[in-house]
Amino acid sequence: DLICSHVQTGILQDEQIINNWLIEKRHPYYVWAKLIKKSVYEKAFECIPDIFCTMKEDFLQYFFISLHAKKFVGIPNFFHNYYIGSGLSTTKNIVDLESWNKICSAASVYTTIFDYLSNEKNDNEIGKAVAYDAEFTLGKSILRLKNNLEPKKIRFVSSENLISNHDAHKKS
């Protein structure tokens, strides 16, 4: 599936960047769709500890990039097509321990951000937005796991239906 996320055109500065992305949901966090100054990326990486993460790594990087960036310039041109399901971190189905570990690695992303917020920045709106994303991601993961573990084509029937069906077969 090809996705084209909405593009924030125009100029954003300082805290407008994180607010526009995380709170207002006006532009995506994917780092592959952006040109980022090396100095901003380096500042962002200084805030990220050495963690294992194969899911939501763009979210983690862009969180700190959006905090350190002074300017965001959005243009309407598309230069890159991204296909869902083609990357390393793609896990549509949880079928083995490796795919479960990928999903669980997102927890380290949120832990890193919440640690930063508790120590450095007291912005309640940002914390709420990160918590919402964490709950949404966790909810999706639990549904994926549940869907992969449920036996297929099992019909639950009440005891009353079983008795009435049995009696109907006896009469015929």
Side-chain angles (χ1 to χ4, degrees):
D1 297 291
L2 173 67
I3 64 163
C4 291
S5 199
H6 50 279
V7 177
Q8 170 66 42
T9 57
I11 297 173
L12 301 172
Q13 294 183 324
D14 300 317
E15 37 312 308
Q16 288 178 323
I17 300 167
I18 196 165
N19 290 337
N20 184 274
W21 157 57
L22 192 57
I23 296 169
E24 299 168 20
K25 311 271 188 250
R26 307 259 335 260
H27 72 272
Y29 60 84
Y30 309 117
V31 293
W32 51 258
K34 297 169 180 63
L35 297 174
I36 300 163
K37 284 186 176 182
K38 180 182 174 186
S39 61
V40 173
Y41 232 130
E42 288 171 340
K43 284 181 186 176
F45 274 124
E46 287 174 11
C47 300
I48 301 172
D50 185 20
I51 59 172
F52 172 76
C53 117
T54 58
M55 298 291 288
K56 301 297 274 193
E57 68 281 0
D58 281 9
F59 188 93
L60 177 63
Q61 292 174 38
Y62 195 63
F63 177 83
F64 289 106
I65 288 167
S66 66
L67 285 176
H68 293 291
K70 300 292 181 208
K71 190 175 186 180
F72 172 101
V73 179
I75 60 173
N77 306 65
F78 284 95
F79 296 100
H80 181 79
N81 290 329
Y82 182 79
Y83 291 90
I84 293 178
S86 63
L88 170 67
S89 61
T90 298
T91 301
K92 290 185 179 184
N93 295 315
I94 302 170
V95 294
D96 56 20
L97 187 57
E98 182 182 358
S99 57
W100 179 245
N101 281 335
K102 283 182 183 180
I103 296 292
C104 290
S105 74
S108 57
V109 167
Y110 298 111
T111 301
T112 300
I113 293 172
F114 287 131
D115 283 349
Y116 175 83
L117 290 173
S118 68
N119 294 325
E120 301 289 330
K121 192 168 175 68
N122 288 323
D123 190 327
N124 200 23
E125 289 298 309
I126 290 174
K128 285 180 185 177
V130 172
Y132 176 82
D133 192 85
E135 289 173 20
F136 180 77
T137 300
L138 177 61
K140 275 191 337 189
S141 299
I142 289 170
L143 282 175
R144 285 181 185 149
L145 181 61
K146 183 177 180 250
N147 288 338
N148 288 322
L149 294 179
E150 282 184 350
K152 303 298 181 206
K153 298 182 181 175
I154 293 180
R155 188 172 155 222
F156 294 96
V157 181
S158 68
S159 57
E160 292 84 22
N161 286 345
L162 284 174
I163 293 168
S164 64
N165 285 342
H166 177 70
D167 291 343
H169 284 303
K170 279 174 59 177
K171 291 179 184 176
S172 53

